[in-house]
Amino acid sequence: MTTPEKPKALDSPITGTIIKWMSRANTAAYKVTGGRIGGKWRMGTKRFGDDVPDVGILTTIGRKTGEPRETPLLFLREGDRVILVASQGGRSGHPMWYLNLRANPKVTFRIRNEVLALRSRDATEAERADYWPKLDAMYPDFANYRAWADREIAIIICDP
């Protein structure tokens, strides 16, 4: 399978603004409905069927403001461990939530009505090699994002 061409406006400021406001709307709907609305990611290559990726809400502390910041994200769960991908759709810069958790690794992650208190860290090279096939199986567009990004896309491990 060939990688599609990187969208021309992917790194434009307007795309960042659209992502921010769509994320806020998704987070609000998710919280009000306990994840019934906004709890599945129906974009990209896996839009339909039973294996559509789940969405959870990551809460970080803003590195500049000290205020809580909420972000809807795809995730892989293994027991009490949550694995996140800082892809931002293959944009060239790291997402703000990733910069926030690098400054303060204590986070919470909401899955439906369950809230987990976790500590985050970047995956090791061995963990990256182990998790990319699992993450790509969950959401095949991650492979495109890696090809488009001008950076190494981080995998974040969140443990209790």
Side-chain angles (χ1 to χ4, degrees):
M1 183 173 162
T2 61
T3 301
E5 185 176 328
K6 181 178 179 175
K8 291 184 183 353
L10 185 62
D11 288 320
S12 73
I14 191 71
T15 300
T17 301
I18 291 167
I19 290 170
K20 177 173 75 172
W21 287 102
M22 288 180 66
S23 292
R24 287 181 181 176
N26 193 107
T27 298
Y30 189 106
K31 288 171 69 175
V32 167
T33 66
R36 287 187 311 282
I37 298 174
K40 294 282 187 180
W41 182 246
R42 297 192 182 277
M43 302 294 288
T45 55
K46 280 187 140 180
R47 288 180 252 235
F48 308 105
D50 295 332
D51 63 345
V52 174
D54 288 321
V55 173
I57 306 295
L58 175 71
T59 302
T60 60
I61 300 300
R63 67 195 182 288
K64 295 178 183 177
T65 65
E67 298 292 322
R69 301 291 182 212
E70 296 176 314
T71 308
L73 295 172
L74 301 180
F75 67 96
L76 179 65
R77 186 170 186 179
E78 293 185 336
D80 289 336
R81 174 176 276 186
V82 174
I83 297 93
L84 306 172
V85 178
S87 66
Q88 199 173 23
R91 289 173 56 100
S92 61
H94 290 297
M96 294 298 117
W97 64 262
Y98 176 68
L99 301 177
N100 289 341
L101 67 76
R102 298 259 333 238
N104 181 351
K106 292 182 181 177
V107 300
T108 62
F109 197 75
R110 176 186 219 140
I111 303 170
R112 304 277 181 207
N113 289 315
E114 178 185 19
V115 179
L116 304 168
L118 304 167
R119 186 166 191 84
S120 62
R121 63 175 176 82
D122 283 359
T124 65
E125 284 304 315
E127 288 169 324
R128 290 174 61 80
D130 182 50
Y131 280 121
W132 271 128
K134 296 174 187 178
L135 291 162
D136 288 342
M138 178 187 82
Y139 186 65
D141 286 340
F142 282 143
N144 296 336
Y145 299 167
R146 289 195 305 282
W148 296 340
D150 300 333
R151 61 185 169 86
E152 181 177 81
I153 292 177
I155 295 176
I156 297 87
I157 309 293
C158 301
D159 286 312

